Amino acid sequence: MGELYERHFEHPPLHDPVLLICLDGWVDAGGAAQATVEQLRERPGGHVVATFDADRLLDHRARRPLMRLEDGVVTAMSWPGIELLALRDDDGRDVLLLHGAEPDHEWYGFIEDTIELCEDLGVTMVVGLGAYPAATPHTRPTRLSCTASTPELATRLPFERASLEIPAGIQSVIEHEAAMQDIPAIGIWAQVPHYAAAMAYPAASVALLEGLFELTGLRFAAPALLAGAASTRVRIDGLIDADTDHALMIAQLEALYDRRVEASAEELPSGDELAAELERFLREERGEP
């Protein structure tokens, strides 16, 4: 195999690496997963393990290269791509990061080659990163949901779990195929307040890193994300305080959040039930039957 990637053999041997996956093009509310990736990419000492054939995998009319102009002169052309990086966490543990654009073509081949790399490099776990908009308030800690390969992984952390049928991104498919090859796999998803989903929401990135630590022991300090989360909280607070209707909505979301946290794992409601409960809160506040 290996038809869709070029392997770079200058990298040192890896010891029991965890593979993190974040491919843009699917759901990422608040840009939380991509902000997490940028923090990891900026760490010193990382190196490229493999690069994928973007000309075969990507539709360049949908993902056009970025042209840099300076006083009307083209000085650079940046092409979208997909690469596998090797880096280390704060404790020196090996980590692999698959990042870039979600493929437009040849999904089967890309998935097979990714699993092949996992087996060749001794990957011990696959973890996908993502974020989605949810009926949750910014005044409470960011909660995580999961797409796990086993019940044991699904219950390792207090993830919110649901039973539903939805379209899948390619990283979820990779997680599924990895599990079929006996590589534990899980996707962790941060819940971003729906009213903040279109803006940068660093608190969700912080939650992803915290969940990653609790799940795998990988430790990544991210002071910039922590500072960004604090400043974003102040900004949203100001916007909410200036509007009575918004303040009422936040109070309703807080009540819903608190009820969910108090419930046991077995009693956690489904996504449809959560939406119905929120609608009931809104009707009661408006005095409707």
Side-chain angles (χ1 to χ4, degrees):
M1 291 298 295
E3 295 181 357
L4 294 174
Y5 67 85
E6 177 184 357
R7 183 81 170 266
H8 301 272
F9 293 98
E10 67 273 14
H11 66 83
L14 304 175
H15 179 67
D16 296 334
V18 172
L19 172 64
L20 307 181
I21 305 176
C22 182
L23 298 168
D24 66 272
W26 189 223
V27 180
D28 186 20
Q34 285 302 318
T36 304
V37 166
E38 289 307 310
Q39 288 291 305
L40 300 182
R41 290 183 63 197
E42 291 173 2
R43 296 176 64 84
H47 54 272
V48 178
V49 174
T51 52
F52 285 83
D53 189 342
D55 209 36
R56 287 177 58 178
L57 292 169
L58 303 181
D59 178 356
H60 291 301
R61 290 179 300 176
R63 304 175 185 272
R64 295 181 184 275
L66 184 64
M67 179 175 63
R68 178 181 294 276
L69 282 173
E70 295 183 10
D71 293 327
V73 178
V74 178
T75 59
M77 195 73 67
S78 176
W79 290 81
I82 309 168
E83 65 180 11
L84 183 66
L85 296 180
L87 51 95
R88 287 180 175 170
D89 79 341
D90 294 344
D91 297 324
R93 293 181 57 188
D94 285 320
V95 181
L96 291 165
L97 175 63
L98 179 62
H99 75 96
E102 182 182 57
D104 298 299
H105 311 294
E106 301 196 46
W107 274 35
Y108 285 116
F110 178 76
I111 292 164
E112 288 180 3
D113 282 358
T114 300
I115 299 301
E116 178 180 274
L117 283 167
C118 285
E119 294 173 336
D120 288 349
L121 296 169
V123 167
T124 57
M125 178 179 283
V126 173
V127 181
L129 302 175
Y132 65 93
T136 189
H138 73 285
T139 53
R140 296 290 189 269
T142 301
R143 289 184 63 77
L144 299 175
S145 299
C146 72
T147 52
S149 58
T150 66
E152 186 275 331
L153 279 175
T155 56
R156 184 174 294 185
L157 294 179
F159 293 116
E160 289 202 3
R161 307 185 300 278
S163 300
L164 64 163
E165 188 171 289
I166 56 173
I170 199 167
Q171 65 190 50
S172 295
V173 184
I174 293 171
E175 294 162 23
H176 177 74
E177 293 300 319
M180 298 291 287
Q181 300 303 317
D182 296 323
I183 302 173
I186 187 170
I188 54 177
W189 295 80
Q191 298 182 355
V192 175
H194 61 83
Y195 51 85
M199 61 185 288
Y201 195 72
S205 301
V206 173
L208 287 173
L209 289 177
E210 290 174 345
L212 184 63
F213 171 71
E214 294 294 331
L215 187 67
T216 67
L218 294 174
R219 189 190 308 272
F220 295 102
L225 290 176
L226 288 169
S231 62
T232 300
R233 168 66 186 269
V234 171
R235 177 187 174 195
I236 297 177
D237 281 346
L239 294 172
I240 296 299
D241 291 343
D243 190 297
T244 303
D245 290 338
H246 290 167
L248 176 61
M249 177 192 70
I250 297 302
Q252 293 163 345
L253 291 174
E254 288 173 340
L256 177 60
Y257 180 102
D258 293 343
R259 289 179 61 179
R260 288 157 60 186
V261 170
E262 291 171 0
S264 66
E266 292 76 19
E267 295 171 342
L268 284 174
S270 68
D272 289 342
E273 289 170 338
L274 291 174
E277 188 171 7
L278 178 58
E279 290 175 2
R280 180 178 62 79
F281 274 129
L282 295 175
R283 288 198 304 270
E284 289 177 354
E285 291 293 332
R286 295 191 296 262
E288 298 176 358

